[in-house]
Amino acid sequence: MPFILPFLPAIATVGAAAIGASASSSAAKKAAQAQTAAADQNNQLQRDIYTSNKATLDPFVQDGRQSDDVLGAFLGLSGDPAKAQEALDTFLGSTGYQFTQEAGSRAVTSSAAARGSLNSGATLKALQDRGQETAKSFIAPWMSALENRSNRGVSAASAIAGIGQNYAGAVGANNNAAADATGNAALVGASNTNNLLAQAIGLFGQNRGGSSYDTKTPAPSTAPVFSTLPTARPSYLPAANASPWNF
């Protein structure tokens, strides 16, 4: 236990730092989770908006596609000519085409009869011309209506494409924000861990240097190494000038 006493302040400091780091990491993690949840909710909202707008515009897209098919078939470009003729007949039946056609024919025949040329080639030619003129006067608006509906379908398709781009951009931004928050939380956790370790090592070193274990190098002694040796020659040793063979 006495060995631990010098380190108690460092242990307390590191413990407090650990609590702070844990709280900071937990707060960053909760913020990242909140950001992710908000991104999910925003993405769902964007998805709902896109789905609703698409459902509203889809009928115009389909109508425009059908109108374009009929127009293309009538012009001999594509599609089914029989369906185009059926569509034209339906249109003419809903207008005053038949009445106008019959009225024009009566005017031609009445005029020819008055001249005594009812069954002439000129009368037949006049009836044909009048019928064509009447048909053109009704078919032109029909084709214009088909073209307008086709263009409206193209506009609706473009609007859906724009909504889709906005949806993708919003979802991408939400996901990026959530990813950034998650990444920042991870960085905060790593930074807190690194700072805590560095602080612990630093405090341990400081307390290690100031403990009862003196790590300082002692100062060198200035006393002579042989200062305690005797200066007189002991009596049991032969004289310094005696012969080594003198016993």
Side-chain angles (χ1 to χ4, degrees):
M1 189 66 180
F3 172 75
I4 300 178
L5 291 178
F7 297 97
L8 287 179
I11 293 173
T13 301
V14 172
I19 294 174
S22 177
S24 176
S25 299
S26 176
K29 185 176 181 180
K30 289 181 179 179
Q33 292 173 344
Q35 183 68 46
T36 300
D40 291 340
Q41 293 178 355
N42 291 334
N43 289 345
Q44 183 60 51
L45 176 61
Q46 292 292 335
R47 189 179 299 110
D48 293 341
I49 293 174
Y50 170 76
T51 302
S52 176
N53 288 331
K54 186 175 184 298
T56 301
L57 294 171
D58 264 341
F60 297 98
V61 175
Q62 299 301 325
D63 182 74
R65 182 178 292 112
Q66 294 174 0
S67 298
D68 189 68
D69 289 343
V70 170
L71 185 60
F74 183 76
L75 296 175
L77 300 176
S78 61
D80 188 351
K83 289 184 178 181
Q85 186 62 50
E86 181 182 357
L88 177 59
D89 293 341
T90 301
F91 169 76
L92 294 177
S94 65
T95 64
Y97 169 75
Q98 191 63 35
F99 173 80
T100 304
Q101 189 73 278
E102 292 175 355
S105 297
R106 286 195 299 268
V108 172
T109 55
S110 296
S111 177
R115 295 193 305 268
S117 58
L118 182 60
N119 296 323
S120 65
T123 300
L124 294 176
K125 181 66 168 59
L127 288 172
Q128 183 179 10
D129 292 343
R130 178 60 65 89
Q132 289 179 350
E133 290 176 1
T134 302
K136 287 180 181 179
S137 66
F138 281 86
I139 291 176
W142 175 69
M143 293 180 64
S144 179
L146 288 176
E147 185 178 359
N148 290 337
R149 296 175 77 89
S150 176
N151 291 336
R152 187 173 61 183
V154 172
S155 298
S158 298
I160 291 177
I163 295 171
Q165 290 178 351
N166 293 338
Y167 167 61
V171 170
N174 293 335
N175 291 342
N176 288 338
D180 288 343
T182 302
N184 290 336
L187 291 176
V188 168
S191 177
N192 289 338
T193 301
N194 291 336
N195 291 338
L196 179 61
L197 291 175
Q199 186 173 8
I201 293 173
L203 290 173
F204 178 79
Q206 292 177 6
N207 284 273
R208 179 68 175 175
S211 69
S212 58
Y213 295 93
D214 190 2
T215 58
K216 294 181 180 180
T217 303
S221 176
T222 57
V225 176
F226 302 103
S227 61
T228 58
L229 293 178
T231 56
R233 189 175 183 83
S235 60
Y236 56 83
L237 292 178
N241 57 355
S243 173
W245 306 106
N246 186 15
F247 296 100

